Amino acid sequence: MPTKTLHIATADGQADAFAAFPDDGERHPGVLMYADGFGIRPVLRELARELAGHGYYVLVPNPFYRHGPAPVIALPEHIGDEDRPAIFAQLMPLIEAHTTDRILSDADAYLSFLTTQPEVGAGPVAVTGYCIGGLLAMRTAAAHPNQVAAVAAFHGPVGVDGPELFSKLTAQVHLGHAEGDLTPEALGELNQTLDAAGVGYTSEIYPDTIHGFTMSDTDAFNPAALQRHWDRLLPLLDRTLTGR
């Protein structure tokens, strides 16, 4: 599956990014994929290539481009629990600097870029994200209701914006929560809020998981949960982007 490095013009400069897409000369539905807080690295490229292999053009931007190209900070090949405190000490200032205004401004640029690529077909797009990227995905979908047909977020803090965010969603939604992040009671409250907003969604706790379960380069990785993520994500995209 081919990938290429790209640069996206934004209101604040140039965001580095990469894309993965089928090498068949055809045009395919576009998917904007937001990385987790650790950013673009080999595991994200693997996820993007896997998704592209199912017939999608997948764009993965570096959300922290204002601080430099990815990788913005040095990461070990495997991120163990013992590595997290030092890594997050470097990451948190970047995450805190990535304000809602910046998120939405960047999302405008990312979607404009995605939809004008020659390998991307006409029609709606999807947005997916992991960890903090799940929240970015939800905010992007809410800000572009006429363009985003599906949004999926995995082990992400999707409830922090409350009902106001959900009320703007027209996309079909899947939320895959970590057992370590959300109690059944909190899940029930979140789903009641989604119901009240009239959102079409599935929202569930993935069994035996902790935060970060999709990421194979961390101690949180759960292979069964990663497969469950594909089992939920692919039918959502097929249904909303291809009509399959």
Side-chain angles (χ1 to χ4, degrees):
M1 197 60 53
T3 63
K4 62 181 177 181
T5 301
L6 302 163
H7 289 87
I8 303 170
T10 74
D12 293 330
Q14 295 277 328
D16 54 305
F18 80 92
F21 50 92
D23 189 20
D24 57 8
E26 301 293 326
R27 301 176 76 190
H28 297 275
V31 179
L32 175 60
M33 177 184 285
Y34 285 111
D36 62 356
F38 297 129
I40 294 177
R41 58 198 193 283
V43 69
L44 264 297
R45 296 179 187 276
E46 292 171 13
L47 289 169
R49 280 195 293 263
E50 175 75 16
L51 182 53
H54 293 274
Y56 298 98
Y57 181 106
V58 185
L59 178 67
V60 187
N62 168 22
F64 304 133
Y65 69 88
R66 293 174 181 84
H67 306 276
V72 179
I73 67 169
L75 293 171
E77 186 173 328
H78 182 86
I79 303 169
D81 289 342
E82 70 279 3
D83 301 310
R84 287 176 175 264
I87 292 172
F88 274 100
Q90 298 176 74
L91 281 177
M92 286 311 298
L94 309 187
I95 293 172
E96 291 168 356
H98 201 46
T99 62
T100 300
D101 286 345
R102 286 182 168 183
I103 290 167
L104 296 181
S105 174
D106 289 347
D108 292 346
Y110 299 155
L111 289 178
S112 294
F113 182 90
L114 175 62
T115 54
T116 56
Q117 295 311 291
E119 302 91 351
V120 176
V125 301
V127 189
T128 187
Y130 304 91
C131 180
I132 189 66
L135 177 60
L136 271 56
M138 293 287 280
R139 288 176 173 172
T140 299
H144 296 269
N146 297 321
Q147 193 170 16
V148 178
V151 58
F154 301 94
H155 47 84
V158 295
V160 297
D161 290 349
E164 183 179 353
L165 175 68
F166 300 147
S167 67
K168 298 174 183 176
L169 289 169
T170 59
Q172 294 293 306
V173 177
H174 175 70
L175 305 177
H177 310 285
E179 194 174 78
D181 285 346
L182 205 64
T183 65
E185 293 75 19
L187 175 67
E189 293 173 4
L190 174 65
N191 291 353
Q192 287 178 5
T193 305
L194 289 162
D195 286 332
V199 177
Y201 73 95
T202 56
S203 173
E204 60 181 317
I205 295 171
Y206 286 22
D208 303 316
T209 55
I210 60 175
H211 184 76
F213 59 78
T214 56
M215 297 297 154
S216 62
D217 62 350
T218 74
D219 285 349
F221 180 53
N222 181 315
L226 177 61
Q227 183 56 53
R228 189 184 190 98
H229 139 283
W230 290 123
D231 292 343
R232 299 297 189 267
L233 178 60
L234 293 174
L236 172 67
L237 300 184
D238 285 349
R239 194 167 62 246
T240 55
L241 300 187
T242 71
R244 292 199 291 257

